[in-house]
C-alpha cells in the first residue's frame, strides 16, 4: 500500500492480518485435520460478504422484471472499459490490470429481461421501493444502525461484469450484532455485522476466451443486499455457520430469492503474516470450510516462498523491467527464445510459431526450485504465474507456459541450458517460457516479473475465484479504496422514522429467537437450531404443538417426511396447517398415540382429497380397542401354525407386523407386543404338550 | 475559509447544528444519533438537496446522510480537506504531426469527478486531456482554447457568432483541423449555425461531445475525442461535421454533415443520426471511410468566408391540431420577423390560423414551412390545404430540418437585415447541404423491432 492511498483514508480496515509473523513451521494439513486451536496458531481470520438477491417484481434502477433467467438473446453490444483516474490522480491497480487485458466486452441482450438502462444507454430510474423496504427489513433483523438518507454510490468494476463500469450501491445500515448460537459446534456468542448495502447485481459471464469476454445481462440490475461481517470468524466451520445464519436471517423475511445463484458469498481470508484475500462467488455453504482452509495454507506457502527468497537475497530491483519498449528488448531478464532454442520438438510451441506468435523466455533470479513448491492440493507456485498470464495477457491457446523447474517438459535439457546461458541464469534461477502474439507476449513477460516481485511481499492483494474442488485461482487485483464515488444520476433518498418504525412493527421473528423458543418448548438445542432454519418452521408454528413430547415428535416428523414428499413431488412446498393441526390436537389429547404421527402425516399428504377426520379416525383410540386386540391376536396366532418350526423371534416379528398396523395410534406398541408374545407363548406351549 | 465554504451546501437546521458542535465541512466526526453512532468525514452537500441531512463519507468509501434531528452530538476527531485536481501531464509535441485547434464551449467532453463530493470537474487544457486520453498525442499537436463555460442548452446566437469568428482565426493561423467540444443537447443547432456562418472552409471542423461523461469507465468520450481529432487532423472532408458514435457499441464513429444531423435519442450513445441522407463517413481506429462522394475536400489554402450574423427575432413553432391564431398573432405583435413552422404531413396547418398567417404576411413577417415528420419533403401542391397555405405567403423549405431552418432563417436575416427578397432567395438555395435534391432510399431508416427480418439482422450486428 503506498502512502497516497493511505492518506485518502478510505481503504477498508483490516487488510493485513494483525499477526505479522507467519507460522512457517506449521506442517501442511488437509481439511478436517486441524483443531480450532491449530487455526488460532495459524492466525486464521475470515469474514463474509453475503450477496442475497431480493424477491422484487422489478430490478433496482429500472422496471425490467427481476428474476428472469434466459438462455437466448436477440441483440449484442460491444464495449470497452477505460480506467478512470483516481482521486489522487492515479489509476487503481485493478483498473490498470483490467485495461492491460484489452478486453472486448460483449453483452448479450434479451428484450424481455433488459432495457436501455442495463445497456448503459439510459440514466437510472427511481430506486425500487420494494427493494428498499426489504433491505430495511433485513437490516433491522441484523440490528444495524440505519442511515437516515441513502446515497447511491458507484463502485467501479472494470472486468466488464457491469456495462457502466460501476455498480450502483447504497449504504443501508452499519454496526449490528446478532446472537450466534450453534449448539453442535459449541458456538455461543455474538456475530458482529459491519454493514449492509443495497446494490444491483452484475452480469452472468458466458465465456472468456482470449481478448473477448461475453456476458449475459438478464441478472444485471437485480436488487441484492450485501451483508458484511467483521473478520472475526476464526475457524472454517465457524465461517460456514455464520454464512448459514445470515442466509437464515434473510430468508426469515420470506422476501429473498432462493435457488442457484440467488445467494452468493465472497469470503475474506488471511493468516498470520498474510493479508486479506477475497474469494469470490461461492454459491453454497457446503464447500466453504475446505475452500478457506486451502486458502489459508496457500498463503502460508507463499510466505514460505517469501522467506526462502529473502534467504536467497532476491530483491525487487533484480526483477525490474523498464517501461519502454518490448520486455525482451529492454530487460536483461527476458529474451526472444526462438533464436536460442532452435528447432523444437514441443508441439504447442511449434503451433505457436506457426501462428506467428512470439516465444519468450524470462529469467527469475533466485526462483530456482520454488516454482515446484506446493501451494494448494495438486497445485504448485508456478500456477500463480500461469494464472496471471492467463488472466492478463489472455492467451487463446493452451498450454502457453513451461518452466525450468520441470526440465523434462517442453524443451530438452540442451535447450534449457542454452536459454540459461543466454539469459546468464545461474543454478539458483528459474526460467519461464511463454508464447503468445507479440503484444500479449510482452504483457505476459512483464506480468511474470511483476508477480515475481510480489512474491517478495508474500501474499499479493488479490481477488480470487473459488473452484469446485476447493482450490482457487487468480481473478484480479484486489480493488483499491478509490473505486467508490457518488452517483450523480440519483438523488439522495431520505429514510424517515415513520418508514423504519412501520417496518419494525411487522418484522418477522429473527432465527435466534425462534431457536430459543423451540428450546423452551422442549426441543433439544441441536434440533431447535435445525428447526429454526428449516423451511417447515412456519408449518410447525402454525400447528403450534403445546407439549415437549409432541413438539419433539413433530419436529422429527417434519424433518424426515417433508423432504421425502418433496422429492416424490407430492408436496409442492409445505403441507397445509389446517390438515396437520387436527393430528397434533389429537396427539396432545392422547386420542392418537405419537408413534402414529409420521404414518398419519404421510396419509394426509398422500390422500389429499380424503377429509382429515376420515384419515385420522383410523388412528384414534376407541373404547373397543382392547377387545379388538384380543380378537386380532387370537386370529393371528391361529394362523401362525403354518410357521411352526421357524425361530420364535421370526414368528414374533411376523405376528407384530400383522397386528400392530391395525392398532397404530390406538394402542401402546408395548402393550400390543406383550399380548402377542403372551398369546404366542401360550400357543407354543400348547403345541409342545 | 469563508462562511459559505465552511458550511458548503448546508442550510437552515444543519448549519445551526454544525455551529453548535463546532463542525464544518471536511471535519472528521463521530456522530451520536438516535439511530446509532456513525463516524466519517463531513462532505459539502449538493445545493439542490434538502436542508435536513448532513453527508458523511465513511471509511469504506460510502456516503450516507444523517438527519439533523436524529443527531444528539457531533464530536470532531480530525480534519481532512481535499480538493480534487485533474493531473496535468505535458502534452508531447511532435513536429511531424498536424496542428489541431480544440475549442471548448462548456460541455464535459472530458471531465473528472471529485471522488468525494461527486462534482464534475471539466478537463480541458492539453495537459489535462493528455492525462485522460493519452492517445491524442499520437494524432496531432493539440492547442486548446476555452471559449465559454455554458451547458449545451445555454448555447445560443451570441456564442455562435464568437465561435464562427474563432474558427476563422484558427483557419488563418494554419490549423489542420478544428475540434469543438460541445454538450450534446443542442450540438446540431450549433453545427448548423457554423455550417452557414463558416462557408467553404479549407479544413475539417468537427463537433464532438459525449453521451456518457468521461468519469465513467464505459464513457464514449475518449473514443469520440480520438475519432473527432483524427478526422480533424487527417480527414479528407472540409465541412462542419458532428462526430459521434455510430452504433451504441464501441466500434466506430460517424461524421454527420452539420445541416443534416439531429440528436434523436435522449441518452443513447448512438443518438446522432443523419436524416434524409447517409452520413459523410465512418471513422474508426485511424481510418476514415467516406460513405458519400459529394463532400467538400480538404484544401491547402486558408480561404474561408465567415458570415457571422444572427437575427434573434425569429422563431420555430411546432404546429398542433386545433392551434389558435392568437399564437401567431402574439408573435407578430411582439415583433418577430420570421417564423419557421414545423407542419404536419407534407407541410400543413389548420384553416383556423389562416387569418393569422395572412396578418403576419401583411406585417412583413417571413414564414417558412418544414416538417414534423423530419423525413421527407414539404410538398404543398398535393392537397388543397397546401395550396391555400402557399397562397398565404408561406414558403416551403423542401427537406430542410426544422431546427436547421430556424438557424438558417436567423442567420439569413442577420446577414440581410433589410432585404426580405435576399433572405427568401438565400433560404431556398442550399448552401451547406441543408436541402438536398433527392432522398436516397436508405436516407430514411427506422427499423421496427420485433419484425422477424429486423430481429435477424439485429442478431448479426453489434447494436
Amino acid at each position: 500500500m503506498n502512502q497516497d492511498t493511505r492518506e485518502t483514508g478510505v481503504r477498508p480496515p483490516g487488510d493485513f492480518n494483525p499477526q505479522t509473523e507467519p507460522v512457517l513451521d506449521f506442517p501442511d494439513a488437509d481439511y478436517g485435520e486441524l483443531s480450532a486451536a491449530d487455526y488460532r496458531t495459524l492466525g486464521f481470520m475470515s469474514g463474509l460478504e453475503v450477496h442475497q438477491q431480493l424477491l422484487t417484481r422489478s430490478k433496482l434502477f429500472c422496471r425490467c422484471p427481476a428474476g428472469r433467467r434466459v438462455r437466448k438473446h436477440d441483440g449484442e453490444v460491444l464495449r470497452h472499459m477505460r480506467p478512470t483516474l483516481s482521486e489522487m490522480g492515479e489509476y487503481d491497480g485493478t483498473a490498470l490490470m483490467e485495461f492491460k487485458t484489452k478486453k472486448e466486452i460483449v453483452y448479450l441482450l434479451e428484450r424481455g429481461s433488459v432495457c436501455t438502462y442495463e445497456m448503459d444507454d439510459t440514466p437510472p430510474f427511481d430506486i425500487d421501493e420494494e427493494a428498499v423496504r426489504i433491505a430495511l427489513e433485513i437490516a433491522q433483523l441484523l440490528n444495524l444502525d440505519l442511515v437516515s438518507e441513502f446515497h447511491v454510490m458507484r463502485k467501479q468494476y472494470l472486468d466488464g461484469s457491469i456495462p457502466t463500469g460501476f455498480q450502483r450501491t447504497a449504504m443501508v445500515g452499519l454496526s449490528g450484532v446478532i446472537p450466534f448460537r450453534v449448539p453442535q459446534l459449541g458456538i455461543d456468542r455474538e456475530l458482529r455485522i459491519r454493514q449492509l448495502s443495497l446494490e444491483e447485481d452484475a452480469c452472468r459471464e458466458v465465456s472468456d476466451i482470449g481478448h473477448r469476454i461475453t456476458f449475459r445481462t438478464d441478472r444485471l440490475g437485480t436488487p441484492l443486499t450485501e451483508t458484511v461481517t467483521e473478520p472475526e470468524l476464526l475457524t472454517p466451520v465457524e465461517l460456514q455457520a455464520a454464512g448459514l445464519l445470515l442466509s437464515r436471517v434473510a430468508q426469515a423475511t420470506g422476501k429473498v430469492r432462493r435457488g442457484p445463484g440467488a445467494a452468493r458469498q465472497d469470503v475474506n481470508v488471511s493468516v498470520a503474516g498474510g493479508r486479506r484475500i477475497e474469494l469470490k462467488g461461492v454459491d453454497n455453504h457446503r464447500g466453504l470450510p475446505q475452500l478457506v482452509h486451502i486458502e489459508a495454507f496457500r498463503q502460508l506457502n507463499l510466505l514460505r516462498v517469501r522467506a526462502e527468497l529473502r534467504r536467497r537475497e532476491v530483491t525487487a530491483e533484480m526483477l525490474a523491467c523498464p517501461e519502454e519498449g518490448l520486455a525482451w528488448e529492454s530487460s536483461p531478464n527476458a529474451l526472444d527464445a526462438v533464436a536460442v532454442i532452435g528447432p523444437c520438438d514441443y508441439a504447442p510451441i511449434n503451433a505457436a510459431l506457426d501462428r506467428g506468435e512470439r516465444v519468450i523466455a524470462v529469467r527469475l533470479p533466485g526462483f530456482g526450485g520454488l516454482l515446484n513448491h506446493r501451494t494448494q492440493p495438486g497445485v504448485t507456485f508456478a500456477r500463480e504465474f500461469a494464472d496471471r498470464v492467463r488472466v492478463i495477457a489472455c492467451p487463446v491457446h493452451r498450454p502457453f507456459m513451461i518452466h525450468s523447474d520441470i526440465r523434462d517438459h517442453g524443451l530438452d535439457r540442451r535447450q534449457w541450458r542454452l536459454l540459461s546461458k543466454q539469459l546468464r541464469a545461474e543454478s539458483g534461477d528459474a526460467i519461464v517460457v511463454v508464447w503468445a502474439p507479440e503484444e500479449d507476449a510482452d504483457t505476459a513477460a512483464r506480468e511474470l516479473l511483476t508477480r515475481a516481485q510480489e512474491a517478495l511481499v508474500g501474499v499479493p492483494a488479490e481477488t480470487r475465484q473459488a473452484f469446485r474442488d476447493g482450490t482457487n485461482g487468480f481473478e484480479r487485483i484486489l480493488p483499491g479504496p478509490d473505486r467508490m464515488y457518488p452517483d450523480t444520476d440519483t438523488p439522495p433518498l431520505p429514510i424517515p422514522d415513520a418508514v423504519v418504525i412501520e417496518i419494525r412493527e411487522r418484522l418477522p421473528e429473527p432465527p435466534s429467537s425462534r431457536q430459543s423458543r423451540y428450546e423452551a418448548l422442549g426441543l433439544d438445542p441441536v434440533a431447535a437450531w435445525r428447526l429454526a432454519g428449516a423451511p417447515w418452521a412456519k408449518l410447525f408454528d402454525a400447528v403450534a404443538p403445546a407439549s415437549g413430547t409432541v413438539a419433539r415428535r413433530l419436529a422429527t416428523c417434519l424433518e424426515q417426511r417433508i423432504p421425502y414428499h418433496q422429492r416424490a413431488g407430492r408436496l409442492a412446498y409445505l403441507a397445509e396447517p389446517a390438515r396437520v393441526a387436527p393430528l397434533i390436537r389429537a396427539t396432545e389429547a392422547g386420542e392418537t398415540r405419537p408413534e402414529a404421527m409420521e404414518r398419519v402425516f404421510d396419509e394426509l399428504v398422500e390422500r389429499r382429497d380424503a377429509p382429515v377426520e376420515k384419515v385420522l379416525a383410523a388412528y384414534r383410540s376407541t373404547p373397543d380397542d382392547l377387545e379388538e386386540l384380543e380378537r386380532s391376536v387370537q386370529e393371528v396366532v391361529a394362523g401362525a401354525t403354518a410357521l411352526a418350526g421357524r425361530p420364535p423371534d421370526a414368528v414374533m416379528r411376523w405376528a407384530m407386523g400383522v397386528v400392530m398396523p391395525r392398532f397404530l395410534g390406538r394402542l401402546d406398541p408395548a402393550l400390543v407386543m406383550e399380548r402377542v408374545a403372551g398369546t404366542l407363548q401360550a400357543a407354543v406351549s400348547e403345541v409342545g404338550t | 475559509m469563508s462562511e459559505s465554504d465552511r458550511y458548503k451546501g448546508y442550510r437552515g437546521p444543519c448549519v445551526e447544528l454544525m455551529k453548535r458542535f463546532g463542525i464544518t465541512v471536511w471535519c472528521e466526526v463521530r456522530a451520536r444519533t438516535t439511530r446509532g453512532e456513525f463516524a466519517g468525514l463531513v462532505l459539502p452537500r449538493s445545493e439542490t438537496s434538502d436542508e435536513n441531512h448532513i453527508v458523511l463519507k465513511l471509511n469504506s468509501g460510502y456516503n450516507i446522510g444523517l438527519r439533523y434531528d436524529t443527531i444528539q452530538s457531533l464530536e470532531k476527531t480530525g480534519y481532512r480537506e481535499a480538493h480534487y485536481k485533474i493531473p496535468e501531464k505535458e502534452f508531447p509535441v511532435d513536429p511531424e504531426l498536424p496542428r489541431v485547434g480544440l475549442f471548448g464551449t462548456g460541455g464535459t467532453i472530458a471531465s473528472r469527478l471529485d471522488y468525494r463530493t461527486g462534482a464534475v470537474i471539466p478537463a480541458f487544457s492539453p495537459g489535462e486531456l493528455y492525462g485522460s486520453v493519452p492517445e491524442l498525442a499520437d494524432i496531432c499537436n493539440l492547442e486548446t482554447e476555452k471559449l465559454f463555460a455554458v451547458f449545451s442548452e445555454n448555447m445560443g446566437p451570441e456564442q455562435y457568432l464568437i465561435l464562427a469568428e474563432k474558427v476563422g482565426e484558427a483557419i488563418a493561423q494554419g490549423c489542420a483541423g478544428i475540434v469543438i467540444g460541445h454538450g450534446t443537447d443542442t450540438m446540431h443547432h450549433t453545427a448548423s449555425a457554423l455550417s452557414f456562418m463558416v462557408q467553404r472552409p479549407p479544413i475539417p471542423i468537427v463537433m464532438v461531445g459525449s453521451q456518457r461523461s468521461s468519469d465513467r469507465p464505459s464513457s464514449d468520450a475518449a473514443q469520440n475525442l480520438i475519432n473527432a481529432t483524427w478526422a480533424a487532423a487527417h480527414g479528407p472532408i472540409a465541412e462542419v461535421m458532428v462526430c459521434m458514435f455510430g452504433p451504441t457499441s464501441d466500434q466506430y464513429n460517424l461524421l454527420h454533415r452539420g445541416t443534416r444531423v439531429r440528436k434523436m435519442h435522449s441518452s443513447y450513445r448512438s443518438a446522432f443520426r443523419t436524416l434524409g441522407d447517409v452520413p459523410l463517413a465512418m471513422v474508426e481506429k485511424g481510418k476514415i471511410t467516406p460513405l458519400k462522394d459529394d463532400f467538400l475536400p480538404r484544401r491547402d489554402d486558408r480561404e474561408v468566408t465567415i458570415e457571422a450574423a444572427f437575427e434573434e427575432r425569429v422563431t420555430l413553432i411546432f404546429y398542433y391540431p386545433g392551434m389558435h391564431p392568437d399564437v401567431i398573432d402574439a408573435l407578430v405583435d411582439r415583433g418577430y420577423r420570421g417564423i419557421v413552422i414545423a407542419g404536419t404531413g407534407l407541410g400543413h396547418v389548420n384553416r383556423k390560423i389562416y387569418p393569422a398567417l395572412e396578418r403576419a404576411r401583411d406585417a412583413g413577417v417571413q414564414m417558412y414551412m418544414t416538417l414534423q415528420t423530419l423525413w421527407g419533403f414539404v410538398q404543398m401542391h398535393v392537397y388543397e390545404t397546401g395550396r391555400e397555405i402557399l397562397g398565404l405567403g408561406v414558403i416551403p423549405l423542401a427537406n430542410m430540418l426544422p431546427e436547421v431552418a430556424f438557424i438558417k432563417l436567423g442567420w439569413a436575416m442577420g446577414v440581410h437585415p433589410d432585404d426580405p427578397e435576399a433572405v427568401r432567395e438565400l433560404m431556398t438555395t442550399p448552401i451547406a447541404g441543408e436541402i438536398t435534391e433527392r432522398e436516397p432510399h436508405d436516407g430514411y431508416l427506422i427499423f421496427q423491432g420485433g419484425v422477424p427480418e429486423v430481429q435477424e439482422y439485429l442478431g448479426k450486428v453489434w447494436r
Side-chain angles (χ1 to χ4, degrees):
Chain A
M1 183 163 66
N2 68 34
Q3 195 61 32
D4 287 341
T5 53
R6 190 174 303 150
E7 269 171 13
T8 64
V10 286
R11 178 176 282 277
D15 244 16
F16 288 90
N17 192 288
Q19 227 172 298
T20 50
E21 276 310 304
V23 194
L24 295 177
D25 55 358
F26 198 101
D28 280 0
D30 284 340
Y31 173 63
E33 292 177 1
L34 300 189
S35 67
D38 291 331
Y39 286 109
R40 196 156 50 237
T41 307
L42 279 169
F44 178 92
M45 267 175 75
S46 65
L48 273 172
E49 294 173 15
V50 180
H51 301 98
Q52 173 68 61
Q53 289 184 345
L54 307 181
L55 192 56
T56 56
R57 188 187 76 91
S58 311
K59 292 186 179 180
L60 192 55
F61 289 106
C62 69
R63 301 296 88 92
C64 283
R68 191 179 148 104
R69 195 181 163 93
V70 297
R71 290 206 176 136
K72 63 181 183 65
H73 62 276
D74 44 36
E76 294 182 16
V77 181
L78 169 78
R79 295 275 162 77
H80 303 94
M81 294 290 161
R82 281 180 82 88
T84 56
L85 290 168
S86 81
E87 188 167 26
M88 302 309 295
E90 286 168 355
Y91 290 107
D92 180 71
T94 319
L96 213 53
M97 177 209 115
E98 301 290 358
F99 195 52
K100 272 194 223 168
T101 63
K102 299 181 194 77
K103 287 269 190 199
E104 285 194 324
I105 306 160
V106 175
Y107 298 103
L108 307 181
L109 315 169
E110 186 269 333
R111 201 203 297 144
S113 55
V114 291
C115 66
T116 49
Y117 168 71
E118 289 97 324
M119 293 163 64
D120 189 31
D121 267 319
T122 290
F125 298 89
D126 287 346
I127 193 165
D128 184 64
E129 202 187 305
E130 201 181 359
V132 169
R133 294 183 72 94
I134 300 171
L136 287 169
E137 186 173 331
I138 298 174
Q140 295 199 55
L141 283 174
L142 294 172
N143 298 316
L144 292 166
D145 296 341
L146 300 179
V147 306
S148 24
E149 194 179 57
F150 284 9
H151 284 243
V152 178
M153 306 294 289
R154 299 174 176 177
K155 200 194 280 179
Q156 282 203 13
Y157 283 98
L158 289 116
D159 58 358
S161 61
I162 306 189
T164 45
F166 53 77
Q167 178 185 42
R168 290 195 164 89
T169 170
M171 182 56 63
V172 176
L174 298 140
S175 318
V177 175
I178 53 169
F180 185 24
R181 205 154 55 81
V182 189
Q184 62 273 39
L185 298 176
I187 299 172
D188 187 0
R189 61 177 179 92
E190 287 174 328
L191 181 63
R192 292 202 301 150
I193 311 295
R194 181 180 289 175
Q195 64 187 48
L196 179 135
S197 51
L198 174 60
E199 49 196 41
E200 49 184 0
D201 207 343
C203 293
R204 291 195 282 136
E205 184 180 316
V206 175
S207 65
D208 184 1
I209 301 160
H211 289 281
R212 176 170 300 176
I213 186 161
T214 305
F215 290 100
R216 214 173 269 291
T217 48
D218 49 1
R219 194 181 78 182
L220 176 68
T222 307
L224 55 82
T225 48
E226 186 198 63
T227 307
V228 183
T229 71
E230 291 295 338
E232 296 171 341
L233 301 161
L234 302 181
T235 68
V237 288
E238 206 171 283
L239 177 82
Q240 183 185 38
L244 272 172
L245 175 60
L246 291 179
S247 70
R248 283 179 170 197
V249 171
Q251 282 169 10
T253 63
K255 295 167 192 153
V256 297
R257 288 189 187 278
R258 307 176 70 126
R264 306 187 301 277
Q265 283 132 119
D266 296 349
V267 191
N268 291 303
V269 193
S270 70
V271 296
R275 77 192 307 172
R276 178 170 78 95
I277 289 294
E278 188 174 307
L279 299 170
K280 278 204 98 70
V282 190
D283 63 0
N284 66 64
H285 297 116
R286 210 171 315 138
L288 267 183
Q290 191 189 21
L291 182 74
V292 293
H293 171 91
I294 289 174
E295 172 55 23
F297 279 94
R298 188 188 71 94
Q299 292 192 20
L300 184 60
N301 281 295
L302 291 183
L303 293 165
R304 286 182 179 134
V305 167
R306 177 181 75 178
E308 180 58 21
L309 289 170
R310 283 180 179 171
R311 202 187 58 76
R312 295 181 188 181
E313 297 178 340
V314 178
T315 64
E317 291 71 48
M318 294 160 73
L319 296 155
C321 184
E323 270 188 39
E324 303 300 316
L326 295 165
W328 51 92
E329 287 167 2
S330 58
S331 167
N333 283 326
L335 64 77
D336 187 333
V338 176
V340 181
I341 56 178
C344 170
D345 288 338
Y346 187 49
I349 289 186
N350 285 333
L353 291 173
D354 287 346
R355 293 189 299 264
E357 295 179 2
R358 290 280 193 167
V359 180
I360 304 302
V362 177
R363 178 175 75 111
L364 303 177
F367 279 69
L370 292 176
L371 295 178
N372 277 344
H373 186 88
R374 182 178 175 277
T375 51
Q376 300 184 66
V379 176
T380 63
F381 185 48
R383 173 77 70 83
E384 299 277 330
F385 290 87
D387 271 358
R388 282 291 177 89
V389 171
R390 172 177 59 79
V391 173
I392 297 174
C394 308
V396 177
H397 301 275
R398 308 280 141 97
F400 50 80
M401 184 185 118
I402 49 175
H403 61 84
S404 59
D405 278 358
I406 306 181
R407 291 235 163 199
D408 297 324
H409 183 62
L411 302 179
D412 59 35
R413 284 175 178 264
R414 189 187 60 87
Q415 289 168 317
W416 283 117
R417 261 200 313 279
L418 282 173
L419 280 178
S420 294
K421 195 173 159 205
Q422 205 67 26
L423 282 165
R424 299 173 193 280
E426 292 168 18
S427 62
D429 298 350
I431 295 171
V432 180
V433 178
V434 287
W435 48 94
E438 180 166 288
E439 212 177 321
D440 298 341
D442 180 49
T443 308
R446 290 170 183 282
E447 211 47 49
L448 289 170
L449 291 165
T450 304
R451 182 61 189 85
Q453 284 181 324
E454 288 172 358
L456 301 172
V457 180
V459 184
E462 292 174 339
T463 297
R464 300 181 64 87
Q465 192 189 352
F467 298 131
R468 277 182 189 272
D469 65 358
T471 63
N472 62 70
F474 174 72
E475 189 173 278
R476 57 171 176 258
I477 308 287
L478 197 64
D482 292 336
R483 61 168 182 155
M484 186 90 81
Y485 57 102
D487 182 29
T488 43
D489 297 331
T490 48
L493 177 74
I495 306 296
D497 282 346
V499 172
V500 174
I501 291 164
E502 185 204 322
I503 291 170
R504 183 178 303 150
E505 280 168 356
R506 294 187 205 164
L507 224 47
E509 186 181 20
S512 60
S513 73
R514 249 171 209 278
Q515 192 181 341
S516 311
R517 186 160 56 77
Y518 295 146
E519 274 184 49
L521 194 58
L523 262 58
D524 74 73
V526 175
W529 178 86
R530 280 208 304 268
L531 179 59
W536 47 84
K538 271 205 178 116
L539 172 64
F540 182 92
D541 289 346
V543 302
S547 77
T549 328
V550 178
R552 281 193 291 277
R553 192 86 206 190
L554 177 61
T556 314
C557 167
L558 296 179
E559 194 170 303
Q560 288 174 353
R561 305 316 291 163
I562 285 191
Y564 160 74
H565 288 299
Q566 270 173 337
R567 275 196 303 276
R570 273 194 288 269
L571 203 62
Y573 191 48
L574 292 176
E576 298 150 35
R579 270 181 92 70
V580 182
L583 163 64
I584 303 308
R585 294 294 87 81
T587 314
E588 280 165 354
E591 297 160 11
T592 297
R593 297 193 49 82
E595 314 86 67
M597 197 176 281
E598 279 89 348
R599 182 75 205 98
V600 183
F601 183 82
D602 285 353
E603 237 177 277
L604 288 169
V605 173
E606 283 160 10
R607 299 171 56 199
R608 270 197 92 85
D609 299 327
V612 181
E613 266 318 311
K614 202 170 165 195
V615 173
L616 210 48
Y619 302 94
R620 229 189 251 282
S621 60
T622 68
D624 304 331
D625 285 346
L626 282 175
E627 268 176 50
E628 204 185 321
L629 175 66
E630 288 311 320
R631 274 200 304 278
S632 265
V633 170
Q634 292 303 337
E635 203 180 298
V636 166
V637 168
T641 49
L643 294 172
R646 297 283 179 93
D649 56 335
V651 177
M652 180 64 197
R653 271 201 307 277
W654 171 79
M656 275 301 280
V658 177
V659 178
M660 194 59 227
R662 299 180 187 173
F663 297 94
L664 183 67
R666 291 160 60 183
L667 291 171
D668 185 346
L671 175 78
V672 175
M673 189 184 265
E674 187 197 308
R675 292 297 158 83
V676 172
T679 316
L680 266 180
Q681 193 71 49
V684 169
S685 352
E686 257 173 53
V687 171
T689 53
Chain B
M1 205 182 351
S2 75
E3 172 88 359
S4 71
D5 278 349
R6 268 202 291 275
Y7 306 104
K8 205 170 167 57
Y10 290 100
R11 310 186 298 278
C14 284
V15 170
E16 250 171 65
L17 188 83
M18 288 163 82
K19 284 183 174 165
R20 175 143 48 98
F21 292 104
I23 298 296
T24 64
V25 296
W26 307 121
C27 277
E28 288 177 300
V29 298
R30 191 172 300 127
R32 235 179 290 283
T33 80
T34 55
R35 290 192 182 181
E37 200 175 286
F38 301 90
L41 179 74
V42 178
L43 291 184
R45 185 158 171 91
S46 159
E47 321 259 340
T48 51
S49 299
D50 72 29
E51 57 177 34
N52 299 326
H53 295 83
I54 288 182
V55 187
L56 286 194
K57 175 166 284 292
L58 307 176
N59 255 339
S60 58
Y62 276 95
N63 293 1
I64 61 167
L66 300 179
R67 202 182 146 89
Y68 76 94
D69 53 10
T70 65
I71 296 174
Q72 294 155 329
S73 71
L74 290 170
E75 183 196 336
K76 179 171 169 179
T77 55
Y79 185 87
R80 260 184 313 131
E81 188 173 344
H83 290 290
Y84 183 68
K85 271 215 299 272
I86 294 167
E88 236 183 280
K89 290 185 183 164
E90 198 181 334
F91 197 97
V93 175
D94 179 345
E96 301 288 303
L97 292 176
R99 231 176 108 187
V100 168
L102 172 61
F103 293 128
T105 63
T108 54
I109 169 73
S111 60
R112 287 287 165 238
L113 210 75
D114 182 323
Y115 279 73
R116 286 168 202 236
T117 62
V120 176
I121 305 162
F124 193 71
S125 73
E128 288 169 347
L129 282 175
Y130 179 60
S132 311
V133 191
E135 292 95 326
L136 294 177
D138 300 332
I139 300 173
C140 66
N141 295 317
L142 200 64
E143 296 162 16
T144 65
E145 187 175 353
K146 198 184 251 171
L147 297 182
F148 327 110
V150 296
F151 289 122
S152 168
E153 59 274 19
N154 298 327
M155 285 290 291
E158 190 190 330
Q159 287 78 21
Y160 301 158
L161 301 183
I162 299 171
L163 202 47
E165 298 290 351
K166 284 288 178 185
V167 167
E169 286 168 25
I171 292 171
Q173 285 161 12
C175 279
I178 294 168
V179 177
I180 300 169
H182 200 288
T184 55
D185 283 7
T186 66
M187 187 149 64
H188 56 285
H189 294 85
T190 307
S192 92
L194 287 180
S195 301
F196 299 123
M197 294 179 183
V198 181
Q199 290 171 36
R200 300 199 71 81
I203 57 168
I205 299 165
V206 188
M207 302 200 55
V208 69
S210 72
Q211 286 284 82
R212 291 289 161 285
S213 58
S214 59
D215 52 73
R216 298 165 171 241
S218 61
S219 170
D220 55 339
Q223 183 186 311
N224 282 340
L225 201 52
I226 290 167
N227 283 334
T229 307
W230 183 271
H234 306 282
I237 308 171
E239 297 194 28
V240 175
M241 297 171 278
V242 164
C243 178
M244 292 290 286
F245 264 41
T248 180
S249 289
D250 293 355
Q251 272 183 288
Y252 57 85
N253 280 55
L254 291 173
L255 290 175
H256 302 278
R257 183 166 272 157
T259 54
R260 295 235 63 88
V261 65
R262 198 168 188 278
K263 187 178 186 182
M264 299 300 287
H265 194 276
S266 61
S267 50
Y268 253 89
R269 288 163 171 74
S270 51
F272 285 83
R273 302 279 101 172
T274 288
L275 272 54
D277 205 341
V278 297
L280 289 168
M282 296 164 71
V283 200
E284 182 183 15
K285 292 183 183 145
K287 196 175 116 213
I288 295 185
T289 312
L291 301 174
K292 285 168 71 69
D293 52 15
D294 66 345
F295 58 80
L296 298 176
R298 179 193 280 279
R299 307 191 307 271
D300 288 334
D301 63 67
R302 295 283 118 192
E303 282 158 29
V304 61
T305 311
I306 306 291
E307 282 193 305
F310 203 92
E311 165 57 61
E312 296 201 25
R313 300 188 84 73
V314 297
T315 187
L316 167 62
I317 59 174
F318 198 90
Y319 168 75
Y320 49 87
M323 182 181 264
H324 288 279
D326 55 4
V327 173
I328 311 276
D329 289 339
L331 291 169
V332 176
D333 289 348
R334 301 299 296 179
Y336 276 80
R337 302 189 50 216
I339 300 174
V340 173
I341 302 168
T344 58
L346 292 163
H348 300 145
V349 294
N350 62 358
R351 275 223 168 87
K352 219 192 281 183
I353 67 169
Y354 286 3
L357 296 179
E358 229 171 331
R359 285 193 288 275
R361 179 197 58 196
D362 294 346
V365 176
Q366 298 209 10
M367 290 175 291
Y368 294 90
M369 183 60 74
T370 60
L371 302 177
Q372 301 183 359
T373 59
L374 302 177
W375 275 272
F377 285 79
V378 180
Q379 281 169 337
M380 301 174 73
H381 294 285
V382 178
Y383 295 103
E384 197 184 338
T385 314
R387 292 192 287 272
E388 286 167 2
I389 298 167
L390 276 177
L392 296 168
V394 178
I395 300 165
L397 288 181
N399 65 344
M400 200 187 302
L401 296 169
E403 295 87 350
V404 175
F406 158 74
I407 294 283
K408 191 178 181 188
L409 183 56
W411 169 74
M413 289 188 142
V415 174
H416 303 290
D418 304 311
D419 188 350
E421 209 36 60
V423 170
R424 263 177 227 122
E425 175 66 27
L426 200 46
M427 283 306 286
T428 48
T429 311
I431 59 168
E434 70 277 22
I435 292 175
T436 64
E437 289 184 314
R438 43 194 295 277
E439 181 183 22
H441 71 87
D442 51 0
Y444 167 62
L445 276 185
I446 303 179
F447 282 164
Q448 192 67 67
V451 174
E453 67 260 29
V454 173
Q455 292 304 119
E456 192 187 330
Y457 167 72
L458 293 179
K460 285 184 194 149
V461 296
W462 277 320
R463 298 292 325 279

